[in-house]
Amino acid sequence: MDLYTYLLYIILPVLSLSTVIVFVRFLRGPSIADRVISLDLMVTVGIGAIAIYSMMTEQSTFLDIAMVVAQIGFLTTVAFSYYLEKRKNN
């Protein structure tokens, strides 16, 4: 089994299934913290999908895009945690 077959038939279906499961948690999450964590996990799964696409097409520029998405995801998580902290103190 070569790398292309492994990525196409094993890793991509696992990422797709995890996206569906995390999206269900995002919709049904009982609290805002659950939704923030699931949104952060969806960003992480998206980064994995971008990285796999970069490997399949052999174009490293997509890894730069994945790094930018990771930074944006990190900053949104920090902003949500700051909002939750301020909301709890008031």
Side-chain angles (χ1 to χ4, degrees), residues 11-29 38-39 41-46 49:
I11 301 296
L12 284 180
V14 168
L15 281 176
S16 300
L17 180 66
S18 65
T19 302
V20 170
I21 292 170
V22 170
F23 189 70
V24 167
R25 174 47 65 191
F26 178 74
L27 292 177
R28 295 185 60 193
S38 65
L39 186 64
L41 188 56
M42 283 195 322
V43 167
T44 305
V45 170

Side-chain angles (χ1 to χ4, degrees), residues 35-57:
R35 291 188 170 121
V36 168
I37 291 170
S38 65
L39 186 64
D40 190 39
L41 188 56
M42 283 195 322
V43 167
T44 305
V45 170
I47 291 168
I50 291 171
I52 288 173
Y53 185 74
S54 172
M55 290 170 62
M56 290 175 67
T57 60

